[in-house]
Amino acid sequence: MKRRQRRTLIFCLCGMFYLCMFLNFNIDSLNNNKHTNGAFKRIHLLQSAKTSNISITTNRMYNQNPLFSKQICSEIGLRPVGQTKINTLLDFRKTGPFRFFKNYKNPCFYRNVTYLGGKELKTPTLAIRCLPYFFIVGMPKSGTTDVWHGLEQHPGVAIRHGKEPMYFTRRRYPRENWSLDQYLDHFDTATNMIKSTPSPDKWTDDDLYYFLITGEGTVDVSHDNDRWQEIPGNENCNEPRILNAHYLYHLNPNMRLIFMMRDPINRVYSDYLYESQFFGYNKTVADFHLAVLESITQHMVCRKHYSERGCAYNSSLESFKARLRVGMYYVFLEDWYRVFPKDQVMVIKFEEYMRNRIEYLKEVFKFLKLRPLSVSEEQKQRKRSISNTRSKEDRQIGDMSKKTRMLLQEFYHPFNKRLSILLNDNKYMWGS
C-alpha cells in the first residue's frame, strides 16, 4: 500500500473514532436531559451542601443494590442478564378464587382455616372468613387516618381492628411469614359482627341479607413493593410486573380503593418529621435539605440506567428521611388503573378534604354504597377532632428552606403534570 493511501486510511479511521466518541457523548447528554430537569442542572445547589455523603451513597447504590445487576423483563425490553431469587410460596395465584356469599354485601366465604381467633389450629376448621370490601391504599401523611376514623363511626362499617396489618407489604414475606389465614384472622371480630347483623328490611332470594362491610388501610400498599423480586412473575426483571394491586384484585376483583393525595412537597416534609420517632434522627431544616439532595442525586443516577418507573419501585435509592418516590403519584396510580377499573378507585385531594371534611366523607360513604348519615350521626362526625395532626414540637421546627422547596418543586413538576393529565384535573398540579 502506498504511503498516501496509508495516511488516508489512518485519517479515515481516526475520523470514525472521534465521530463515535461525539455521538456517544451526545446520546449520554440526551439521556441526561430526558431524565433531568432544571433543578438538577443547577449543580451549584448540590455543591453548596456538604456532598461527600451523597457521592458515597451513590457508589454504595451501585455496589450493593441488587437491581443494578438485573435487567428489565424480556417482555418489556433490554438485555437479558442476571437471575432473580423467586419464592414460590409467594405465588398468590395458588389461593382462591373464593365463592363469596350472595346475600352478603362484604366479600365473605367458607374456608378451612389453620389459624383462628389469634391461635394456630392443629387441624383445619371450616369457618366464615371475610376480606376487605374497601382498602385505603394511599398515600401516607395525606389524611388517611382521618378518613379511617370517619368510616369507623359509620353504622354500616364493621371496624374493630387496626388500620394497617401490613400483610401485603411486609408480613407475607419470609421472616414474619404470615399465612393468608392469619391475614383473614385480622378481621375476625369484624367478621363476627358482619355475620351476626342481618338487615332488618332487606332480603335476597328469601334469605337474610347482611349489609355490614369492613376494610383496611395499609397506605404503603400503594407504592411499597420493596420485595417484588421474590414474587413469581417478576423473574429476571429490574422493575416489577406483578404488584400488590394484582394480589388484591386476585382476592377481590370488586374491591373499592381510596387514594388520598397531598402536595408531594408538603407530604415528604411531613413524612420526615413523623418518621423520626421510629428512626431516631434529629429533625432540623438543614438535615432535611441534605436528605432531599441525597435522594435527588440517587434518582438522577438511577435514571441514567433505568426507567423512571424502575427507579420509583427501587426503595434503596432513599432513606425514610426523604421518601421522594412516594410522591411520584402518577407512576403508582397508573399501575393501579391497569389492574382495577377506574370506577372502583376514588382519588381525593388532601387539601380539599381538610377544608371540607364532612362533605368529602359523605362522598366516600356514597362511593362505598353506604346509607347517608342521620342528623345526629353527622353532628358526631363534626365534633370529631382531626386525626394524626402535626405535633407542637414539629410545628416549632418550622417550614423547610426555600431552596429545598425549589428543588422539590422541579423534581415533582413532571409527575404532577402527568397525574393531572391522567385524572383530567389541573388541581393536581399543586401550583407547580
Side-chain angles (χ1 to χ4, degrees):
M1 184 181 293
K2 295 181 179 180
R3 184 180 298 175
R4 180 178 295 177
Q5 290 175 324
R6 286 199 300 270
R7 278 190 293 186
T8 303
L9 179 60
I10 291 170
F11 178 82
C12 290
L13 290 173
C14 290
M16 291 175 65
F17 173 79
Y18 285 112
L19 178 62
C20 290
M21 291 289 288
F22 174 79
L23 289 173
N24 187 55
F25 172 81
N26 278 278
I27 289 170
D28 285 342
S29 298
L30 287 172
N31 286 334
N32 288 342
N33 288 333
K34 179 180 179 181
H35 300 299
T36 307
N37 56 39
F40 305 151
K41 293 175 184 176
R42 289 194 289 274
I43 201 69
H44 65 273
L45 284 174
L46 297 177
Q47 299 296 335
S48 66
K50 296 179 180 179
T51 56
S52 58
N53 289 333
I54 297 174
S55 61
I56 291 171
T57 309
T58 303
N59 293 332
R60 187 170 67 246
M61 178 178 68
Y62 279 111
N63 296 332
Q64 298 182 4
N65 180 5
L67 288 183
F68 281 94
S69 63
K70 298 181 177 66
Q71 85 295 346
I72 208 164
C73 301
S74 57
E75 289 82 352
I76 306 174
L78 294 189
R79 57 196 180 281
V81 179
Q83 292 292 322
T84 305
K85 187 176 180 181
I86 295 297
N87 188 336
T88 56
L89 296 176
L90 296 173
D91 192 350
F92 60 81
R93 291 166 292 189
K94 294 180 180 179
T95 63
F98 306 113
R99 298 182 63 181
F100 300 136
F101 301 145
K102 293 182 180 180
N103 61 325
Y104 279 59
K105 181 179 178 180
N106 198 87
C108 299
F109 53 99
Y110 281 119
R111 178 176 171 85
N112 281 311
V113 297
T114 57
Y115 196 94
L116 186 64
K119 298 178 181 178
E120 291 278 359
L121 303 179
K122 293 181 179 180
T123 57
T125 300
L126 188 66
I128 292 178
R129 299 283 80 183
C130 294
L131 283 162
Y133 175 88
F134 68 88
F135 205 121
I136 304 175
V137 295
M139 308 297 288
K141 304 310 298 173
S142 299
T144 59
T145 302
D146 195 77
V147 173
W148 176 260
H149 290 315
L151 285 165
E152 203 171 29
Q153 289 190 1
H154 194 288
V157 180
I159 293 178
R160 296 296 184 274
H161 50 265
K163 176 188 171 212
E164 303 191 42
M166 296 187 287
Y167 171 72
F168 298 97
T169 57
R170 295 282 186 274
R171 288 178 170 154
R172 65 182 170 125
Y173 292 97
R175 283 201 296 268
E176 297 208 35
N177 286 314
W178 267 29
S179 65
L180 181 61
D181 285 343
Q182 284 175 280
Y183 174 64
L184 294 172
D185 197 60
H186 182 72
F187 308 99
D188 187 49
T189 303
T191 299
N192 290 331
M193 292 176 62
I194 291 169
K195 69 183 184 182
S196 61
T197 314
S199 172
D201 53 7
K202 186 173 181 179
W203 296 69
T204 58
D205 299 328
D206 296 325
D207 199 356
L208 293 172
Y209 181 74
Y210 297 86
F211 67 98
L212 292 181
I213 62 171
T214 193
E216 71 136 299
T218 305
V219 292
D220 282 351
V221 80
S222 56
H223 62 277
D224 185 349
N225 295 266
D226 292 354
R227 297 176 68 176
W228 59 261
Q229 304 100 315
E230 301 172 40
I231 297 174
N234 288 329
E235 293 87 346
N236 303 321
C237 301
N238 62 17
E239 63 185 68
R241 288 183 301 171
I242 307 299
L243 299 161
N244 293 330
H246 295 91
Y247 195 174
L248 265 64
Y249 185 85
H250 176 76
L251 292 176
N252 178 17
N254 296 314
M255 191 178 292
R256 304 188 82 75
L257 311 174
I258 300 171
F259 275 89
M260 297 285 292
M261 293 185 179
R262 180 181 187 176
D263 183 337
I265 298 172
N266 296 331
R267 193 220 69 80
V268 71
Y269 188 53
S270 179
D271 203 38
Y272 166 79
L273 297 174
Y274 179 77
E275 294 294 341
S276 66
Q277 63 185 303
F278 306 109
F279 295 94
Y281 51 81
N282 292 322
K283 298 170 286 187
T284 67
V285 171
D287 182 63
F288 177 66
H289 182 71
L290 286 174
V292 167
L293 288 173
E294 183 171 354
S295 290
I296 286 176
T297 304
Q298 298 280 41
H299 282 279
M300 288 171 61
V301 175
C302 181
R303 291 179 200 174
K304 291 181 179 180
H305 302 273
Y306 298 99
S307 73
E308 204 167 60
R309 180 179 180 273
C311 296
Y313 282 109
N314 187 345
S315 62
S316 72
L317 299 180
E318 54 197 27
S319 71
F320 270 86
K321 285 186 175 184
R323 295 195 296 170
L324 300 187
R325 65 193 188 98
V326 178
M328 302 176 189
Y329 305 142
Y330 163 80
V331 173
F332 306 118
L333 182 61
E334 186 180 49
D335 278 345
W336 283 86
Y337 276 167
R338 289 192 179 108
V339 180
F340 281 87
K342 287 187 177 181
D343 61 1
Q344 289 176 220
V345 182
M346 184 179 196
V347 180
I348 301 173
K349 186 180 178 185
F350 165 81
E351 291 81 4
E352 292 185 351
Y353 172 83
M354 294 306 293
R355 284 194 293 268
N356 202 343
R357 287 194 305 155
I358 302 304
E359 292 307 313
Y360 270 95
L361 279 175
K362 288 179 181 179
E363 290 300 312
V364 171
F365 300 153
K366 185 177 179 181
F367 173 68
L368 299 179
K369 302 179 181 179
L370 295 166
R371 69 161 175 79
L373 296 175
S374 67
V375 174
S376 61
E377 290 164 354
E378 183 173 327
Q379 288 176 345
K380 186 179 178 181
Q381 289 278 7
R382 291 185 185 277
K383 291 178 181 178
R384 182 174 57 84
S385 59
I386 299 173
S387 305
N388 215 10
T389 56
R390 188 171 295 181
S391 68
K392 182 179 179 180
E393 176 193 354
D394 288 346
R395 290 196 300 270
Q396 290 175 344
I397 294 172
D399 195 11
M400 70 186 81
S401 69
K402 290 183 179 180
K403 62 181 180 180
T404 310
R405 186 170 289 277
M406 183 176 68
L407 277 173
L408 290 171
Q409 281 175 341
E410 297 214 37
F411 179 86
Y412 281 124
H413 176 79
F415 297 101
N416 293 346
K417 185 174 183 179
R418 277 174 276 170
L419 177 67
S420 66
I421 294 171
L422 181 65
L423 295 173
N424 194 28
D425 197 333
N426 283 333
K427 70 183 181 184
Y428 292 99
M429 287 297 294
W430 282 284
S432 62

